[in-house]
Amino acid sequence: MFNWFKSKKKYYPDFWLEYLNHFKSKKRTTIKETRFVAFDTETTGFDRKEDRILSIGAVSITKKTVQVNQSLELYIEQDIFKPETVKIHGILKHGSLEKISEIEAIKQFLAYIKDSDLVAHHAGFDKNMVNEMLLRHNLGKLKNKFIDTGHLYNKSKHIIYRENLKEHYSLDDLCEELNVPKTDRHTATGDALITAIIFLKILSRLDKRKNLEWDYLLK
């Protein structure tokens, strides 16, 4: 007997299919020619299942230059809200900031990142939070390559200093190490810009020692 349940296909919205299409013809280019997107999320907490994203900030990097005039800043309306976290991110539940729905934030974020390589500090957290947001709307997970600035910084340290490396560097730690101003710290857009500058400084350090190749950057 024909099984109708097994024959059912999952239909995705057009904006998700458009996002996936970017990867069908994606070719690996040189690091200089690649578009990177540094991004950050401000959330209600650290539990990817229970907490929610309140804000997403992103900035593009092309030809080793931060495209500040092409940044993305989204504030998301959420039913889940924890007042005790306001002192960190400064986002009020009913403030003056213009907020959009979660699904609208997904549409705008995916349209912005396309197939770019994503850069974040403690990238696993931001990646998991975005993926949970996508799954709540019956979408798949992000397909982009991810680069973690904390991991990359450790690789940039000269071998004679490797014994003194920390297992986890905060964004503040890397600002101190690399002399990066903490402008708009703890806002998604501000932290995305800081992450982008840190990323470029680490690339410059690595590039002085060897010709950067993708296998080295992503592994």
Side-chain angles (χ1 to χ4, degrees):
M1 181 182 290
F2 186 79
N3 192 326
W4 287 100
F5 293 99
K6 288 186 177 180
S7 68
K8 286 184 177 180
K9 293 183 179 181
K10 189 171 184 178
Y11 291 95
Y12 291 109
D14 289 342
F15 72 84
W16 179 253
L17 296 177
E18 184 177 348
Y19 165 71
L20 295 180
N21 280 336
H22 290 298
F23 295 89
K24 290 183 178 180
S25 59
K26 182 176 174 66
K27 296 180 180 179
R28 178 58 71 207
T29 58
T30 65
I31 292 175
K32 187 175 181 180
E33 295 169 332
T34 297
R35 180 180 185 251
F36 297 93
V37 170
F39 84 105
D40 181 72
T41 61
E42 294 297 325
T43 66
T44 60
F46 300 108
D47 188 317
R48 68 180 184 180
K49 296 289 186 180
E50 300 297 329
D51 286 299
R52 296 292 184 269
I53 296 175
L54 297 174
S55 178
I56 302 175
V59 62
S60 65
I61 305 166
T62 56
K63 297 182 179 179
K64 296 186 178 181
T65 301
V66 180
Q67 307 297 324
V68 180
N69 61 340
Q70 298 177 22
S71 61
L72 177 75
E73 184 174 62
L74 304 173
Y75 293 94
I76 306 171
E77 186 70 46
Q78 297 287 9
D79 292 330
I80 293 176
F81 192 84
K82 296 180 179 178
E84 64 271 20
T85 64
V86 172
K87 61 185 178 182
I88 299 173
H89 51 65
I91 302 171
L92 300 174
K93 184 173 178 61
H94 301 294
S96 59
L97 294 171
E98 183 177 347
K99 297 178 182 178
I100 58 178
S101 67
E102 194 171 73
I103 190 64
E104 180 60 29
I106 289 172
K107 292 178 183 178
Q108 292 189 33
F109 182 64
L110 295 179
Y112 182 82
I113 64 173
K114 299 182 175 66
D115 59 357
S116 302
D117 288 53
L118 303 182
V119 181
H121 191 68
H122 296 159
F125 172 75
D126 295 293
K127 179 180 181 180
N128 287 336
M129 291 299 293
V130 172
N131 280 338
E132 285 298 327
M133 183 169 66
L134 295 173
L135 292 174
R136 281 196 294 274
H137 295 274
N138 298 311
L139 302 171
K141 295 182 179 182
L142 290 174
K143 308 300 180 185
N144 308 70
K145 298 281 188 184
F146 269 81
I147 299 170
D148 187 296
T149 48
H151 175 66
L152 196 63
Y153 176 74
N154 274 344
K155 293 173 68 173
S156 76
K157 296 286 282 185
H158 195 281
I159 191 169
I160 64 174
Y161 300 113
R162 293 287 172 86
E163 292 182 359
N164 298 321
L165 292 179
K166 295 181 182 180
E167 185 175 354
H168 298 289
Y169 283 90
S170 69
L171 198 60
D172 288 328
D173 288 334
L174 293 193
C175 285
E176 295 290 340
E177 293 275 345
L178 298 170
N179 194 28
V180 175
K182 301 176 187 178
T183 307
D184 290 333
R185 184 75 174 90
H186 291 300
T187 67
T189 306
D191 285 355
L193 179 57
I194 290 171
T195 300
I197 296 170
I198 285 173
F199 175 63
L200 290 178
K201 287 205 168 195
I202 296 173
L203 284 191
S204 178
R205 175 183 285 185
L206 289 169
D207 219 6
K208 289 177 181 177
R209 288 200 217 130
K210 61 188 295 181
N211 291 324
L212 273 176
E213 297 178 357
W214 275 108
D215 288 344
Y216 182 77
L217 190 62
L218 295 174
K219 69 182 177 181

